[in-house]
Every structure is written in structure tokens, then in C-alpha cells.
Amino acid sequence: MNGIAQQPAAVIPVGVAEGTPLLDVRNVVVRFGGIVALQDISFTIPRGLIVGLIGPNGAGKTTLFNCLSRLYQPTSGEIFFDGHSLLSVPRHKIAALGLGRTFQNVALFDNMTVEDNVLVGGHIQGTSGFLANAFKPPYVRREEAALRARAGELIDFMNLGAYRRHRAGGLPFPIRKRVELARALMTRPRLLLLDEPAAGLNHEEVENLKGQIHSLRDHYDVTVLLVEHHMNLVMSISHKIVAIDFGRKIADGTPDEVRREPKVIQAYLGLEA
Amino acid sequence: MITTNTASRLLTAAALIVGIALPMVLSDFHVFQATQMMVYAIAILGLNLLTGYNGQISLGHGAFYAIGAYAAAILMARFELSYFVALPLAAIICFIVGFLFGLPALKLEGHYLALATFALALAVPQLLKYPAFEHWTGGVQGIFVNKPEAPFGIPLSTDHWLYYFTLAVTLLVFVLASNLLHGRVGRAITAIRDQPVAAEAMGINIALYKATTFGVSALYTGLAGGLSAIVIQFIAPDSFTMFLSIFLLVGLVIGGVGSIPGAFLGAAFIVITPNIASDISKAATGAVYGLLLITFVYLVPNGAWGALTVGWKRLAGMTRRS
């Protein structure tokens, strides 16, 4: 995976952004008691792109992210995923729709091996229940073999071969992040939500991550939304950026447009606009 | 190189050979004790599925053991069913009861679930004595079950036949549990314990899995209860006090939380230790038992099975280096 680390940034590929957007966030408002966490947020994520969501601490990025993964229910507004309303889908059915995610502080199954963690990502690809798993008829063995083959592929893709049988809880943070990414890919997502993937990584690891995000988009045909503090990462790999501050959208466009937007500069540097 | 999989198969085969040969060298009383150990091992495995693998604490599994025992005894004594039929029926009844108990228990986390299950352990023996149910349960008198003879003219004494019958059931249900835990469903059960939010994001229906795991856990422990009714041929409410629930938890922790073979070691502890304690001092069995328990927990904090695997790995590592 080292060869693809140095890719040129953000040229929107021809043809991929056409048709209805994959994700369509419309007028989302979130209030916690009297506090307005998100005020009338609207944006779209076109198919096949890498979209960055930025904003200073406390801007509402994580709140928005949690609306997308159904941890929070917006006070009002709508979210459409591939034309379906997301807000009426129970949390455990989000993955089957094609939404995969990683977690800000890495939420692995610590007492399970790396391989088993990735295999759990394949849960929705299987159908076998309790009885079938206890008696293991041939179709369950085939299902399991197919899952293991794909998990092996993703473990190799994320360079995790050496840790396959290691307990996930004992691994260093950057490796845990890669396990999480492999697990998310195992769900066969169409939209991959990455919550601060660069947090806690050093410079070299961030460069690696860039390459991995590019190649997973190319290999696995996923659209990516990344919520990120790391400006260098977002600006260099996103095709499109949405910036929010104090719960409001302040910019929405290409990295260059967003970089020049006075409100963004003000939000990050605190200058008078 | 020996993989974990082959190692566990070899171990199972070895244990099975020992299991088959055991009655030929043991006295009848010890055969009976060995039978009881297997019964408790199944009960502990049931508790392990719920508490060890799924992370739901139960202080009341003695209640499911009691329900299984009464269901089997009533089916045999009142409906005159063969134990071959009564036992699986009792297990299914316990699955249903466990599943239904597991549904409202979804709202309870950690210590609160422990209390709710403890309430079950307190309530069930009382209900079994309740006069309105006496026609079925026999009240404080309990129920006698006919001595099950070996079928098809197999030339075995009842004690030996019951031993082999229990061995066969034990082998079957342990293999099934091992299959369950090492596949898609087992991974989901364990994932819920480790990280419920992430498990749900991977598409696991937590409510369904937790309630079903509760049902399967109750099925195992209830099956053990049913077996005990067949093996002892008599049941009464006082055999199923809340101490039974506590002893099952003791067996789980001693054997090893989250390990399948550990159930046998835990069962051995709860069957043998009281005898050792009364051998040492008839006047203070409780104190000796307590002392043995503390010593054990202090010496092998990860359970007996955990200690054995660590010891084995060290030994294997040493031989490889030399």
C-alpha cells in the first residue's frame, strides 16, 4: 500500500458525481434542551466523492455525525440516504442500507482477535441464526468460509496480516484504527463515515492514511465522509468540504473555495472578517 | 505445529476416552459424583453463555435449573413421558421462560440485571411450595421420579447407564455450544459484550440477540436441571435455594469466565470442595469452604482454565526454545 501514498489531491473524477446524491441532509436541527447544537444544516454528498466535514471544536461535527449513524434523532429536518429516509430506520439496520462507520476513539471488540473483529463487520452478509450455527449444516460452513476469505482480503488490504490472531485490545492505537477501518469495509458500505481518522496519528501515519482512503475508495467503490480536525488531510484528499461553526453551515464547496471563505478563516483563526 | 483447533479436538477426544473409561475404575458413589459434575458443567456453561460471553450478569440461574428439573419431573411423573422426551421438552420450556425473562431484562444493565435475576432465584423455590400448584409440584414433599433403567436390554447398572446417558448429552450440548460460539452468532454475542454501540453499527440486532442468548442460556441450565431430576430421581423446592444460583456463579468464576472447558473445572470445584471441607473439619465446613474459595481466587484470578492454558503455553514455549 505504500506506492499510493503520494496521490495528487482532489480532482473530481468525471462522471462520478452525477445523478441523485448518495446522502442528502436537509434542514437538520438538533436541540438538547435549550441548546441548539445544529441549526438548519443542509448539504449533499455526491456518489463516489470524498467529502470532508470540518469545523472548530464544539461546532457540531460529532452531533451531525451521530445523526447520520442514528445515535441522535434530529429535532427536525430530514436525511435521505440513496433516496430513502434514514430517520425512520432502526440503528441496527443502518449497516445493511450501506452505511459503515468508524469511531472517534476507536470502538473495537477488545477481547476478540483482529480477525474476529473484522468478521463481525461481515455480520449483515450472513443470515444464519442460533440453531443453524449450533448444528452447522453445509450452508453455514460455506457462509463462514466466504466471510473468512473476504476478511482475509481486507486484513491484507489494511496491512494487518501480522496481527490476525492478536487480541484487538492489546494493540497500539494506529493499528487499532486500521482494524476498525477493515471492519467498516467488511460491512460493504456504500458510504463510509470516518470520525477523525487522523486523530492520534503521527505525520507518517497520516500520509499512509491518505493513501489508504484513496485506494479504498478506488478498490471498494465507496463514497467517503470524513469528519476531521487535521486540515492538511482534509484539504488534500477531499473533493468537497462542508464547514460548520456554532451549529451552522458556513461554507460548502471545493477545498480551494472553502480555504478562501472569510467565515472559515474567521472561525479557525478568530480574525475579524 | 499444533493449531488451537487441532489441540482442542485432541483434548476433547482425550477427555471423551477418559470419560468412557471412568466408570470401570470408580466406585458407584464416585460414578454418581462424576455424573453430577457433568450436570453442573452443563448448567455452568449455560450461565457462561449469558454472563461470560454476552456480558449479562445473572445471580438467579438456579431458578432456571429448578424450572428445568420440575418441568422434566412433572412430565415424567404426571404425564408418564419417557425421560428421552421429557428432557428436550423441559429444555424448550426453559428456553421460552428465559427468552421471555430476557425481553424485559433488556432495560436493565449490569448490577440492576443481577438484582432482577436474584429476585427470580428467591421467588422460584417459594412458588414451588405454593399450595395452589401443589397438585403439580407436590409442594414441600416434592416429586419422586421412577428409576430410569437402561433401554434395549443394555447390560448396565442404572448408575452406570445414567452416567453414560449424561456423558452423551454433555458431549452433544458442549459441541453445539462450541459451534455456536465459534461462528457468526457467537461473534455477535461477544461483540455485544465488548462494545454494544459498535456491534449495533455493524448491523447486530442487540435486543434480539440478548433475549435469545438469555433463552439459550436458560435452556442449557434448565436442561441440566432436568438431567438432575432424572439422575437423582427426586426433587423438592429446598434443592433449589438461592445458594444454588450462587454456587453456579462460583463454578463459573472458578472454572473461567468465557471459556468452554472451564465449566468442567468449575463443576468439579462445586461438587468436590464441600466434601473436602467436611473432611477437614465437620464443625466449620463453611469456614473451610470459604478459605478454599479465597485461596483459589487469589492463586488463579483468571479461572482454572485460564491458568491451565497459560501454564501449557509456557511449557510449550520452553520446550521450543530448548
Side-chain angles (χ1 to χ4, degrees), chain A residues 148-167:
Chain A
R148 281 187 186 275
R150 184 169 158 81
E153 214 176 274
L154 286 170
I155 284 170
D156 290 343
F157 179 74
M158 295 305 300
N159 277 328
L160 289 164
Y163 307 102
R164 184 186 295 260
R165 303 220 176 275
H166 285 234
R167 210 179 64 94

Short mmCIF file of all heavy atoms in Angstrom, two decimals, chain A residues 148-167:
data_model
loop_
_atom_site.label_atom_id
_atom_site.label_comp_id
_atom_site.label_asym_id
_atom_site.label_seq_id
_atom_site.Cartn_x
_atom_site.Cartn_y
_atom_site.Cartn_z
N ARG A 148 -14.72 -15.55 5.88
CA ARG A 148 -13.30 -15.59 6.26
C ARG A 148 -12.40 -15.20 5.09
O ARG A 148 -11.40 -14.52 5.28
CB ARG A 148 -12.93 -16.99 6.77
CG ARG A 148 -13.38 -17.19 8.19
CD ARG A 148 -12.91 -18.47 8.81
NE ARG A 148 -13.54 -18.61 10.12
CZ ARG A 148 -13.07 -18.07 11.23
NH1 ARG A 148 -11.94 -17.40 11.21
NH2 ARG A 148 -13.72 -18.17 12.37
N ALA A 149 -12.79 -15.61 3.89
CA ALA A 149 -11.99 -15.25 2.72
C ALA A 149 -11.97 -13.74 2.54
O ALA A 149 -10.91 -13.14 2.34
CB ALA A 149 -12.56 -15.93 1.47
N ARG A 150 -13.15 -13.13 2.66
CA ARG A 150 -13.21 -11.68 2.48
C ARG A 150 -12.50 -10.94 3.61
O ARG A 150 -11.79 -9.96 3.38
CB ARG A 150 -14.66 -11.22 2.39
CG ARG A 150 -14.78 -9.74 2.11
CD ARG A 150 -16.18 -9.30 1.77
NE ARG A 150 -16.34 -7.88 2.03
CZ ARG A 150 -15.94 -6.93 1.20
NH1 ARG A 150 -15.37 -7.25 0.07
NH2 ARG A 150 -16.09 -5.65 1.50
N ALA A 151 -12.65 -11.46 4.84
CA ALA A 151 -11.96 -10.83 5.97
C ALA A 151 -10.45 -10.89 5.75
O ALA A 151 -9.73 -9.91 6.00
CB ALA A 151 -12.34 -11.52 7.28
N GLY A 152 -9.97 -12.03 5.24
CA GLY A 152 -8.54 -12.18 4.99
C GLY A 152 -8.05 -11.16 3.97
O GLY A 152 -6.99 -10.54 4.13
N GLU A 153 -8.87 -10.95 2.94
CA GLU A 153 -8.56 -9.98 1.90
C GLU A 153 -8.42 -8.57 2.51
O GLU A 153 -7.46 -7.85 2.22
CB GLU A 153 -9.74 -9.98 0.94
CG GLU A 153 -9.46 -9.74 -0.52
CD GLU A 153 -10.77 -9.89 -1.28
OE1 GLU A 153 -11.12 -11.03 -1.65
OE2 GLU A 153 -11.45 -8.86 -1.44
N LEU A 154 -9.38 -8.21 3.36
CA LEU A 154 -9.36 -6.86 3.93
C LEU A 154 -8.24 -6.70 4.94
O LEU A 154 -7.65 -5.62 5.07
CB LEU A 154 -10.71 -6.55 4.58
CG LEU A 154 -11.81 -6.27 3.56
CD1 LEU A 154 -13.17 -6.21 4.23
CD2 LEU A 154 -11.54 -4.94 2.85
N ILE A 155 -7.93 -7.78 5.65
CA ILE A 155 -6.82 -7.74 6.60
C ILE A 155 -5.51 -7.49 5.83
O ILE A 155 -4.69 -6.67 6.24
CB ILE A 155 -6.77 -9.04 7.43
CG1 ILE A 155 -7.89 -9.02 8.48
CG2 ILE A 155 -5.41 -9.21 8.10
CD1 ILE A 155 -8.11 -10.34 9.18
N ASP A 156 -5.37 -8.14 4.69
CA ASP A 156 -4.19 -7.89 3.86
C ASP A 156 -4.20 -6.47 3.31
O ASP A 156 -3.19 -5.79 3.28
CB ASP A 156 -4.12 -8.90 2.70
CG ASP A 156 -3.81 -10.30 3.21
OD1 ASP A 156 -3.32 -10.41 4.35
OD2 ASP A 156 -4.07 -11.26 2.48
N PHE A 157 -5.37 -6.04 2.85
CA PHE A 157 -5.51 -4.69 2.27
C PHE A 157 -5.08 -3.62 3.27
O PHE A 157 -4.45 -2.63 2.90
CB PHE A 157 -6.97 -4.47 1.86
CG PHE A 157 -7.25 -3.12 1.27
CD1 PHE A 157 -6.84 -2.82 -0.02
CD2 PHE A 157 -7.93 -2.15 1.99
CE1 PHE A 157 -7.09 -1.59 -0.58
CE2 PHE A 157 -8.18 -0.91 1.44
CZ PHE A 157 -7.77 -0.63 0.15
N MET A 158 -5.40 -3.82 4.56
CA MET A 158 -5.02 -2.85 5.58
C MET A 158 -3.68 -3.20 6.23
O MET A 158 -3.35 -2.64 7.28
CB MET A 158 -6.11 -2.75 6.67
CG MET A 158 -7.45 -2.20 6.21
SD MET A 158 -7.40 -0.59 5.40
CE MET A 158 -6.70 0.42 6.65
N ASN A 159 -2.92 -4.11 5.63
CA ASN A 159 -1.61 -4.49 6.17
C ASN A 159 -1.67 -4.98 7.60
O ASN A 159 -0.88 -4.57 8.46
CB ASN A 159 -0.65 -3.29 6.13
CG ASN A 159 -0.03 -3.15 4.77
OD1 ASN A 159 0.19 -4.16 4.08
ND2 ASN A 159 0.23 -1.92 4.37
N LEU A 160 -2.63 -5.84 7.89
CA LEU A 160 -2.81 -6.29 9.27
C LEU A 160 -2.48 -7.77 9.44
O LEU A 160 -2.74 -8.36 10.49
CB LEU A 160 -4.25 -6.03 9.73
CG LEU A 160 -4.62 -4.58 9.95
CD1 LEU A 160 -6.13 -4.41 10.01
CD2 LEU A 160 -3.99 -4.04 11.22
N GLY A 161 -1.91 -8.37 8.40
CA GLY A 161 -1.65 -9.81 8.40
C GLY A 161 -0.93 -10.30 9.64
O GLY A 161 -1.24 -11.35 10.19
N ALA A 162 0.02 -9.49 10.14
CA ALA A 162 0.84 -9.92 11.28
C ALA A 162 0.03 -9.96 12.58
O ALA A 162 0.46 -10.58 13.55
CB ALA A 162 2.02 -8.98 11.45
N TYR A 163 -1.12 -9.29 12.59
CA TYR A 163 -1.89 -9.18 13.84
C TYR A 163 -3.17 -10.00 13.84
O TYR A 163 -3.95 -9.95 14.77
CB TYR A 163 -2.26 -7.71 14.10
CG TYR A 163 -1.08 -6.79 14.05
CD1 TYR A 163 -0.85 -5.99 12.93
CD2 TYR A 163 -0.19 -6.74 15.11
CE1 TYR A 163 0.26 -5.16 12.88
CE2 TYR A 163 0.92 -5.92 15.06
CZ TYR A 163 1.13 -5.13 13.95
OH TYR A 163 2.21 -4.31 13.90
N ARG A 164 -3.37 -10.77 12.78
CA ARG A 164 -4.62 -11.50 12.59
C ARG A 164 -5.14 -12.18 13.86
O ARG A 164 -6.31 -12.06 14.21
CB ARG A 164 -4.39 -12.55 11.50
CG ARG A 164 -5.60 -13.35 11.11
CD ARG A 164 -5.18 -14.44 10.13
NE ARG A 164 -4.68 -13.84 8.90
CZ ARG A 164 -5.39 -13.74 7.78
NH1 ARG A 164 -6.60 -14.20 7.75
NH2 ARG A 164 -4.88 -13.18 6.71
N ARG A 165 -4.26 -12.89 14.56
CA ARG A 165 -4.70 -13.65 15.72
C ARG A 165 -4.46 -12.90 17.04
O ARG A 165 -4.61 -13.47 18.11
CB ARG A 165 -4.01 -15.01 15.78
CG ARG A 165 -4.23 -15.83 14.55
CD ARG A 165 -4.46 -17.30 14.86
NE ARG A 165 -4.77 -18.03 13.64
CZ ARG A 165 -5.99 -18.12 13.13
NH1 ARG A 165 -7.02 -17.57 13.75
NH2 ARG A 165 -6.19 -18.79 12.02
N HIS A 166 -4.06 -11.65 16.95
CA HIS A 166 -3.83 -10.89 18.19
C HIS A 166 -5.15 -10.39 18.76
O HIS A 166 -6.08 -10.10 18.03
CB HIS A 166 -2.94 -9.68 17.90
CG HIS A 166 -1.50 -10.04 17.71
ND1 HIS A 166 -0.48 -9.47 18.42
CD2 HIS A 166 -0.92 -10.93 16.87
CE1 HIS A 166 0.67 -9.99 18.03
NE2 HIS A 166 0.43 -10.86 17.09
N ARG A 167 -5.17 -10.28 20.09
CA ARG A 167 -6.32 -9.69 20.74
C ARG A 167 -6.33 -8.19 20.42
O ARG A 167 -5.31 -7.52 20.57
CB ARG A 167 -6.19 -9.89 22.25
CG ARG A 167 -7.47 -10.01 23.03
CD ARG A 167 -7.14 -10.23 24.49
NE ARG A 167 -6.46 -9.06 25.00
CZ ARG A 167 -7.08 -8.04 25.62
NH1 ARG A 167 -8.37 -8.08 25.82
NH2 ARG A 167 -6.40 -7.00 26.04
#
